[in-house]
Amino acid sequence: MQPTSSPSTAYISLGQIRPLGAALDAPAASGCSTAGDAGSSSCGSSAGPDDMPPEIWEKIKDHPCYSEEAHHHYARMHVAVAPACNIQCNYCNRKYDCSNESRPGVVSQKLTPEQAVKKVLAVASEIPQMTVLGIAGPGDALANPRKTFETFRLLQQKAPDIKLCVSTNGLALPEMVDEICRYNIDHVTITINMVDPEIGARIYPWIFWNHRRVTGIEAARILHEQQMKGLEMLSARGVLTKINSVLIPGINDAHLLEVNREVKKRGAFLHNIMPLISEAEHGTYFGLTGQRGPTAQELKAVQDACAGGANLMRHCRQCRADAVGLLGEDRSDEFTLDRIEALEVVYDLDRRREYQEKVEAERQAQVAARQAAVAKAAADDGMKVLVAVATKGGGRVNEHFGHVREFQIYEVTAIAAVFVGHRRVDQYCQGGYGEDGQLPSIVRAINDCHAVLVAKIGACPKDELEAAGIEPVDAYAHEFIERAALDWFAGYRERVARGDTGHRDRGDAAIRQGAFTSAAAA
Ligand code: CLF
Ligand code: SF4
């Protein structure tokens, strides 16, 4: 049995063959291989300094969306300065955030450029590992060029160390490329859902073009041409581009392979395929007409089918247009306008640099810990399991089970622990007490995992997890995730070899017999 780090792997769990993410209800359930020595996948965002020219690594090494490794350590923030849009997407209702870069259903506080800059400086002082400012709505950043570029201009004067990032539907992009380059905006996301206008007409009812509304295939054709032209122009100018595609089952699922090929041809750095979020209560056309989003398996199948094409990002959290913090956390309510207005903000670049040096040292320590764990690992025999990790950042097992809102999922073999996705759950600990009613849904969310690594866990959830065949492990509290996972797995393999897994047999016999499968069984 050959091991594979491909996220198409299926896992034997509780006697069933179950694809990664099958237990998930949460919308984003994909995987992303982790970096460097331990990883062997071609996932673009997992690449390290040895995989690219130094000037590109400089641009992505502390960008949490462009580097999977960075997303454990560095934060981003969005400011909602761009309310207007020049197109209509069938998955968007304007009273909610832009679905391109946000989770619908949460209304942002719109800001002027001056308010936005004050907010960025306040966040940068409070969260010194915040390295990227993105403008991602709530409408389209480039349909609001004055506010968008004024924000970037003002910020660049006051905080030149913060990387600038922008997200757009692409309609106005070609005309804005000079401005983008003028402000040294190194990262541009374009949402491209189709390269065939007939498919586009099912996604976009209209665009606003040359002072008039254009509909149908003609609208989709213009949008497509602008997107391709804009992408080519950015590639020619050395700007890194990420393509976001919303996966809409029955409309563009198979077509996204062609999108992947076309954007790769035009120099896209990453392709991020995201699930359609389509709740009726959001009031979108798709929500109201019953267009469903993809299952976790469908999303993964399309991502896997794109392997070998444009490099994939798999750690996206579909953030709001005013998100603040590490990906997966949201601290925006700490920085509301009234709080910001009352603050006397002092931007201390030296203090930020000093702090980021510590973050970088921590990151290097994580890489070294992983290398050391791999160096002492036994030979790979193809055995492979999933583990869930409770972490609040920094690449360590450092969260109490009761406080977890999102588990990170790692695929572990004898020689590698690879980040493959995340699972959102309702927090178990409510108001200082464990909420036992939450446990079944938490267990369901990670029931294809063999262990859950936590900083601490109470007796009640421990029993419940063990009963479900998931081993609760608090022996690696505050250690680096990959080293903890590899060390736990080394011990686990020894127990399996002895016929003693210490908890309910959940397919381990099948693993011992070599029946573990790497086929895409879904
Ligand atoms: Fe923001 Fe987007 Fe820049 Fe990142 S988000 S504008 S590239 S700084 Fe990141 Fe959020 Fe996914 Fe976007 S996780 S939704 S990919
Ligand atoms: Fe909504 Fe963004 Fe589409 Fe505009 S581009 S309609 S704001 S999802």
Side-chain angles (χ1 to χ4, degrees), residues 39-50:
S40 59
S41 136
S42 63
C43 173
S45 60
S46 72
D50 298 336

mmCIF file with all atom_site columns, all heavy atoms in Angstrom, residues 39-50:
data_model
loop_
_atom_site.group_PDB
_atom_site.id
_atom_site.type_symbol
_atom_site.label_atom_id
_atom_site.label_alt_id
_atom_site.label_comp_id
_atom_site.label_asym_id
_atom_site.label_entity_id
_atom_site.label_seq_id
_atom_site.pdbx_PDB_ins_code
_atom_site.Cartn_x
_atom_site.Cartn_y
_atom_site.Cartn_z
_atom_site.occupancy
_atom_site.B_iso_or_equiv
_atom_site.pdbx_formal_charge
_atom_site.auth_seq_id
_atom_site.auth_comp_id
_atom_site.auth_asym_id
_atom_site.auth_atom_id
_atom_site.pdbx_PDB_model_num
ATOM 1  N N   . GLY A 1 39 ? 5.455  17.849 3.514  1.00 0.00 ? 39 GLY A N   1
ATOM 2  C CA  . GLY A 1 39 ? 4.399  17.776 2.517  1.00 0.00 ? 39 GLY A CA  1
ATOM 3  C C   . GLY A 1 39 ? 4.933  17.277 1.194  1.00 0.00 ? 39 GLY A C   1
ATOM 4  O O   . GLY A 1 39 ? 6.084  17.435 0.861  1.00 0.00 ? 39 GLY A O   1
ATOM 5  N N   . SER A 1 40 ? 4.095  16.670 0.410  1.00 0.00 ? 40 SER A N   1
ATOM 6  C CA  . SER A 1 40 ? 4.540  16.229 -0.902 1.00 0.00 ? 40 SER A CA  1
ATOM 7  C C   . SER A 1 40 ? 3.530  16.594 -1.970 1.00 0.00 ? 40 SER A C   1
ATOM 8  O O   . SER A 1 40 ? 3.569  16.109 -3.062 1.00 0.00 ? 40 SER A O   1
ATOM 9  C CB  . SER A 1 40 ? 4.742  14.727 -0.884 1.00 0.00 ? 40 SER A CB  1
ATOM 10 O OG  . SER A 1 40 ? 3.547  14.098 -0.537 1.00 0.00 ? 40 SER A OG  1
ATOM 11 N N   . SER A 1 41 ? 2.624  17.459 -1.626 1.00 0.00 ? 41 SER A N   1
ATOM 12 C CA  . SER A 1 41 ? 1.615  17.802 -2.597 1.00 0.00 ? 41 SER A CA  1
ATOM 13 C C   . SER A 1 41 ? 2.037  19.023 -3.385 1.00 0.00 ? 41 SER A C   1
ATOM 14 O O   . SER A 1 41 ? 2.972  19.717 -3.055 1.00 0.00 ? 41 SER A O   1
ATOM 15 C CB  . SER A 1 41 ? 0.309  18.062 -1.865 1.00 0.00 ? 41 SER A CB  1
ATOM 16 O OG  . SER A 1 41 ? -0.315 19.188 -2.364 1.00 0.00 ? 41 SER A OG  1
ATOM 17 N N   . SER A 1 42 ? 1.318  19.302 -4.450 1.00 0.00 ? 42 SER A N   1
ATOM 18 C CA  . SER A 1 42 ? 1.651  20.459 -5.258 1.00 0.00 ? 42 SER A CA  1
ATOM 19 C C   . SER A 1 42 ? 0.787  21.656 -4.898 1.00 0.00 ? 42 SER A C   1
ATOM 20 O O   . SER A 1 42 ? 0.745  22.619 -5.634 1.00 0.00 ? 42 SER A O   1
ATOM 21 C CB  . SER A 1 42 ? 1.454  20.114 -6.734 1.00 0.00 ? 42 SER A CB  1
ATOM 22 O OG  . SER A 1 42 ? 0.098  19.823 -6.951 1.00 0.00 ? 42 SER A OG  1
ATOM 23 N N   . CYS A 1 43 ? 0.088  21.567 -3.789 1.00 0.00 ? 43 CYS A N   1
ATOM 24 C CA  . CYS A 1 43 ? -0.787 22.671 -3.397 1.00 0.00 ? 43 CYS A CA  1
ATOM 25 C C   . CYS A 1 43 ? -0.011 23.973 -3.342 1.00 0.00 ? 43 CYS A C   1
ATOM 26 O O   . CYS A 1 43 ? 0.961  24.098 -2.625 1.00 0.00 ? 43 CYS A O   1
ATOM 27 C CB  . CYS A 1 43 ? -1.405 22.379 -2.037 1.00 0.00 ? 43 CYS A CB  1
ATOM 28 S SG  . CYS A 1 43 ? -2.336 23.751 -1.387 1.00 0.00 ? 43 CYS A SG  1
ATOM 29 N N   . GLY A 1 44 ? -0.440 24.961 -4.118 1.00 0.00 ? 44 GLY A N   1
ATOM 30 C CA  . GLY A 1 44 ? 0.321  26.190 -4.255 1.00 0.00 ? 44 GLY A CA  1
ATOM 31 C C   . GLY A 1 44 ? 0.530  26.923 -2.963 1.00 0.00 ? 44 GLY A C   1
ATOM 32 O O   . GLY A 1 44 ? 1.620  27.372 -2.663 1.00 0.00 ? 44 GLY A O   1
ATOM 33 N N   . SER A 1 45 ? -0.529 27.059 -2.159 1.00 0.00 ? 45 SER A N   1
ATOM 34 C CA  . SER A 1 45 ? -0.374 27.852 -0.958 1.00 0.00 ? 45 SER A CA  1
ATOM 35 C C   . SER A 1 45 ? 0.484  27.135 0.065  1.00 0.00 ? 45 SER A C   1
ATOM 36 O O   . SER A 1 45 ? 0.860  27.707 1.074  1.00 0.00 ? 45 SER A O   1
ATOM 37 C CB  . SER A 1 45 ? -1.739 28.189 -0.365 1.00 0.00 ? 45 SER A CB  1
ATOM 38 O OG  . SER A 1 45 ? -2.423 27.017 -0.047 1.00 0.00 ? 45 SER A OG  1
ATOM 39 N N   . SER A 1 46 ? 0.817  25.868 -0.156 1.00 0.00 ? 46 SER A N   1
ATOM 40 C CA  . SER A 1 46 ? 1.661  25.134 0.783  1.00 0.00 ? 46 SER A CA  1
ATOM 41 C C   . SER A 1 46 ? 3.142  25.246 0.434  1.00 0.00 ? 46 SER A C   1
ATOM 42 O O   . SER A 1 46 ? 3.989  24.717 1.132  1.00 0.00 ? 46 SER A O   1
ATOM 43 C CB  . SER A 1 46 ? 1.277  23.654 0.794  1.00 0.00 ? 46 SER A CB  1
ATOM 44 O OG  . SER A 1 46 ? 1.699  23.051 -0.399 1.00 0.00 ? 46 SER A OG  1
ATOM 45 N N   . ALA A 1 47 ? 3.442  25.916 -0.651 1.00 0.00 ? 47 ALA A N   1
ATOM 46 C CA  . ALA A 1 47 ? 4.831  25.968 -1.094 1.00 0.00 ? 47 ALA A CA  1
ATOM 47 C C   . ALA A 1 47 ? 5.699  26.758 -0.125 1.00 0.00 ? 47 ALA A C   1
ATOM 48 O O   . ALA A 1 47 ? 5.217  27.600 0.625  1.00 0.00 ? 47 ALA A O   1
ATOM 49 C CB  . ALA A 1 47 ? 4.886  26.601 -2.483 1.00 0.00 ? 47 ALA A CB  1
ATOM 50 N N   . GLY A 1 48 ? 6.994  26.442 -0.143 1.00 0.00 ? 48 GLY A N   1
ATOM 51 C CA  . GLY A 1 48 ? 7.931  27.103 0.748  1.00 0.00 ? 48 GLY A CA  1
ATOM 52 C C   . GLY A 1 48 ? 8.994  27.841 -0.039 1.00 0.00 ? 48 GLY A C   1
ATOM 53 O O   . GLY A 1 48 ? 8.941  27.907 -1.270 1.00 0.00 ? 48 GLY A O   1
ATOM 54 N N   . PRO A 1 49 ? 10.001 28.403 0.672  1.00 0.00 ? 49 PRO A N   1
ATOM 55 C CA  . PRO A 1 49 ? 11.010 29.227 0.014  1.00 0.00 ? 49 PRO A CA  1
ATOM 56 C C   . PRO A 1 49 ? 11.814 28.486 -1.054 1.00 0.00 ? 49 PRO A C   1
ATOM 57 O O   . PRO A 1 49 ? 12.349 29.105 -1.972 1.00 0.00 ? 49 PRO A O   1
ATOM 58 C CB  . PRO A 1 49 ? 11.907 29.689 1.168  1.00 0.00 ? 49 PRO A CB  1
ATOM 59 C CG  . PRO A 1 49 ? 11.568 28.823 2.333  1.00 0.00 ? 49 PRO A CG  1
ATOM 60 C CD  . PRO A 1 49 ? 10.188 28.322 2.123  1.00 0.00 ? 49 PRO A CD  1
ATOM 61 N N   . ASP A 1 50 ? 11.891 27.144 -0.930 1.00 0.00 ? 50 ASP A N   1
ATOM 62 C CA  . ASP A 1 50 ? 12.670 26.401 -1.921 1.00 0.00 ? 50 ASP A CA  1
ATOM 63 C C   . ASP A 1 50 ? 11.894 26.177 -3.219 1.00 0.00 ? 50 ASP A C   1
ATOM 64 O O   . ASP A 1 50 ? 12.431 25.659 -4.192 1.00 0.00 ? 50 ASP A O   1
ATOM 65 C CB  . ASP A 1 50 ? 13.080 25.027 -1.359 1.00 0.00 ? 50 ASP A CB  1
ATOM 66 C CG  . ASP A 1 50 ? 13.970 25.195 -0.141 1.00 0.00 ? 50 ASP A CG  1
ATOM 67 O OD1 . ASP A 1 50 ? 14.608 26.270 -0.026 1.00 0.00 ? 50 ASP A OD1 1
ATOM 68 O OD2 . ASP A 1 50 ? 14.010 24.272 0.696  1.00 0.00 ? 50 ASP A OD2 1
#
